[in-house]
Amino acid sequence: MRPTAKDLAEAAGVSLATVDRVLNERPNVSPKAVRKVAEAIERIGFVRNPAAVALARNKTYSFRFVLPTSGDQYLAELIARAGEAKEILRADSTDVEIAQIPMNDPHHVAKYLSAIGADTLDGVAVMAPESPQVRDALLRLVERDVKVVQFLSGQERLERADYVGIDNFAAGATAGKIAGRFIGNRPGKIMVVAETMMALDSIQRRLGFDSIINAQFPHLHPLPSLETYADANRADLIIRRTLQHNPDTVAVYVLSSEARVPLSAVWSAQGSRPLTVVAHERTPFSEQALMDERIDAVIAQDPGHAVRSALRIMRARADHRELLASQERIRIEVLLKENL
Amino acid sequence: MRPTAKDLAEAAGVSLATVDRVLNERPNVSPKAVRKVAEAIERIGFVRNPAAVALARNKTYSFRFVLPTSGDQYLAELIARAGEAKEILRADSTDVEIAQIPMNDPHHVAKYLSAIGADTLDGVAVMAPESPQVRDALLRLVERDVKVVQFLSGQERLERADYVGIDNFAAGATAGKIAGRFIGNRPGKIMVVAETMMALDSIQRRLGFDSIINAQFPHLHPLPSLETYADANRADLIIRRTLQHNPDTVAVYVLSSEARVPLSAVWSAQGSRPLTVVAHERTPFSEQALMDERIDAVIAQDPGHAVRSALRIMRARADHRELLASQERIRIEVLLKENL
DNA sequence: CTTGCATTGAGGTGCGCACCTCAATATGAC
DNA sequence: GTCATATTGAGGTGCGCACCTCAATGCAAG
């Protein structure tokens, strides 16, 4: 039979009340008592029954995803996965909210975050672009004892918060390696397109990409990053112009999560030129384009995994539990037509 | 406040006892009562509290991984991950056992499985090569109400059991695509090495590999599969001979999970010839070889994910619960030096 | 020795549900 | 109508723990 708290009390030679005090780190316990209980835990192999704990605490957790309002298919995917998790976690007494706020004004984001307290929420997973204001607001959230997860976003990593997402430098490097090897030994230029280069993740991907191309594929030359600002007309214009000025373009790398706008522009402008195309994130669009062989490879991070990981982390932090780090590392996936 | 079973009874206009009968599918309940309760569940949004259920049932689950005795690093990795899961699940009243038995004699495996009953175990995850005897033993296990997971192994999929692992045809196709595109337009032969081609997964990978090479890379010619039987001397011999007879070999594809023996043989025999190398599974060996650029790409399935998925599935089946299918699909990962 | 404070023990309650028993009522066959 | 059987209700117990109260003991300073 598995030992209970009662067995533990007996083994430690103390009362149940003291065991409770030690296990839940309540005040007014002598170091001696703590030692006795700790030793007994080791000796008899006591493990708290999480079901009984959950039942007795009878606490409902509430977590919130704070996502941008503007986005395309990848954002939709994230919201869908978060919605799934919300339904599933209903059973486990955890509320999952999905909020969308405009991210263009850092002050507004910071203000939004300031309104959150430990009484409102146990944890937040925030996907917001890098800015000192937001960074500061997140730090203050942590101090108010709200668990914070930096979610797929380009913040400098906060010491006291967890990060869920891929290493964007490595993701860029992976894109570079795939692009370089897929192109073969044909020399030429690589067009690099982003929604904006203001975001930290874009910068890191670009750096990773360039480092590999420069080191391993000297016959290839990445062009300066084009910024679409998620505007189809602008994208059409600058991409068409770039392709005209660089007839020796052999590949396109789209380093933002939303590839639909830039790639539609590329395809309408490319003529009959065969281009190697690498993009980020699995979406209905990129999936279809892989199937049609209009994209050669997609570098992706699984949004479902990201959502679940963020929730597991917030839950573990709220319970002061450790978690299995290896399970929470989001993989940099390489998607081809063949392994969809 | 979240509705409890008591609230549900009230809302349905029945007693707690009847609610209990309906929820736990006990006998002697009228269809009318079932309908009333089901309707009330919908209406008030009742969800069973899993913590309370677990506590009241006070059941300990026990699951077992049945793995081969012989193997190399990938097997070690699996065992390590299963051990991790065992420790973590101790808290949740679930015993995880890790058994290793010789897999060469199907009768022996079948006999081993026959000794398992629902009184011994709630579920088993079996990694055994295809054979009618084992297949039959698994079916009889299912009939004895033991939950069965076909674990990373080449069984034909049983209808009444779950499968955890990748689609091996697709994995082979992915390897083919990566190899083909990495090689470039240089024509030549591809050496294909396996531990044995008796296993279904080897056959499927080979088929997937060939289908892509033939369809998309007609200038490349895969050689007949070499079988090492996990014997270093034999591997050395046949690989050396094959390389001698085929000086135009441009690539090597190792389709077994354990690549150390065959690749060591390749490297000792290849001379200064530059070969594109694709292998399967992440192990300390393949990881190091990726870093050293002696392997170009590894097609992998995450053993930690596989172990956890098998356990989640067995647990869900034991509780007659549904599970989130998308979370259980094991991805075909493409590992490069850059995204390790 | 007294006072004050820190520490401990004993005991109770409740979390939401599963599982059990026994009596009461409904339903159908005849 | 009677009987047998199917269905229902009432009520209790226990799962392992958190959280609370109150009294009892220890210890040190004065």
Side-chain angles (χ1 to χ4, degrees), chain A residues 158-198:
Chain A
L158 260 50
E159 285 267 332
R160 306 191 39 206
D162 291 282
Y163 171 74
V164 167
I166 54 178
D167 173 346
N168 282 305
F169 185 89
T174 304
K177 179 64 152 284
I178 289 281
R181 295 217 55 164
F182 275 24
I183 291 165
N185 37 27
R186 195 157 53 111
K189 302 205 176 105
I190 303 177
M191 184 162 77
V192 179
V193 191
E195 211 168 286
T196 165
M197 288 305 288
M198 302 287 284

Side-chain angles (χ1 to χ4, degrees), chain A residues 14-15 17-18 21 28-30 33 55-56 58:
Chain A
V14 299
S15 69
T18 297
R21 290 182 180 106
N28 299 327
V29 194
S30 68
L55 187 58
N58 198 24

Side-chain angles (χ1 to χ4, degrees), chain B residues 276-340:
Chain B
T276 296
V277 177
V278 177
H280 278 274
E281 306 315 348
R282 178 186 197 136
T283 61
F285 169 80
S286 66
E287 206 167 310
Q288 188 55 51
L290 273 173
M291 297 298 296
D292 299 344
E293 302 184 338
R294 303 204 291 174
I295 293 184
D296 293 276
V298 166
I299 311 301
Q301 50 188 341
D302 183 337
H305 188 175
V307 163
R308 289 188 294 270
S309 181
L311 288 168
R312 272 196 301 267
I313 289 175
M314 290 189 285
R315 176 63 192 267
R317 296 295 178 218
D319 290 342
H320 306 101
R321 268 188 303 111
E322 292 304 308
L323 36 75
L324 186 57
S326 65
Q327 185 176 0
E328 311 309 341
R329 214 190 48 234
I330 312 281
R331 303 254 7 140
I332 300 176
E333 296 179 3
V334 176
L335 302 182
L336 309 175
K337 181 186 181 184
E338 285 71 22
N339 69 339
L340 275 179

Side-chain angles (χ1 to χ4, degrees), chain B residues 15 18 21 29-30 33 55-56 58:
Chain B
S15 70
T18 297
R21 291 183 179 107
V29 194
S30 68
L55 187 58
N58 198 24

Side-chain angles (χ1 to χ4, degrees), chain A residues 171-172 174-180 182-183 191 193 209 251-255 259 263 275-280 294-299:
Chain A
T174 304
K177 179 64 152 284
I178 289 281
F182 275 24
I183 291 165
M191 184 162 77
V193 191
F209 187 80
V252 179
Y253 173 41
V254 181
L255 51 68
L263 284 183
L275 293 174
T276 296
V277 177
V278 177
H280 279 274
R294 303 203 291 175
I295 293 184
D296 293 276
V298 166
I299 312 301

